[in-house]
Amino acid sequence: MKIEILGIGCSKCKKLHELVEEAVNELGVSAEITKVTDINKIFDYKVLITPALAIDGDVKIAGKIPEKEEIKRWIEEKKNEIIS
């Protein structure tokens, strides 16, 4: 699973990264967590406001920081999708 934090490095982007790392660790899943800071790559995702979160290329949220439980739900959904 590839999880991307889309943003230019603001405090909200850093907070989102922390929450994603916590969620991945708590769930015990294997995931590659990367930061996408190149504005052109962010635009490729059709994201106009950051921070944003993409899981396996699918943007889950943009413009706000989700609750950790919501991040965990998205990860679980993707994990179950992969298993199916």
Side-chain angles (χ1 to χ4, degrees):
M1 179 180 313
K2 184 174 182 178
I3 302 174
E4 296 168 294
I5 311 302
L6 311 174
I8 57 174
C10 67
S11 61
K12 289 181 180 181
C13 298
K14 291 174 185 173
K15 179 63 178 174
L16 179 56
H17 189 265
E18 289 174 21
L19 289 172
V20 168
E21 285 184 333
E22 289 174 14
V24 166
N25 289 333
E26 289 175 16
L27 291 171
V29 297
S30 177
E32 175 189 353
I33 304 170
T34 59
K35 295 178 186 176
V36 178
T37 57
D38 181 316
I39 197 73
N40 292 317
K41 290 180 181 176
I42 293 170
F43 286 153
D44 287 345
Y45 280 94
K46 310 276 190 276
V47 168
L48 301 177
I49 187 166
T50 61
L53 174 67
I55 301 177
D56 288 340
D58 182 26
V59 176
K60 295 296 186 181
I61 195 165
K64 68 178 191 173
I65 301 172
E67 295 292 323
K68 183 172 33 172
E69 290 306 312
E70 192 169 18
I71 297 169
K72 289 169 77 171
R73 183 175 50 81
W74 292 327
I75 292 170
E76 285 286 353
E77 287 171 359
K78 185 54 77 170
K79 184 176 123 185
N80 291 336
E81 194 177 290
I82 293 169
I83 294 171
S84 298

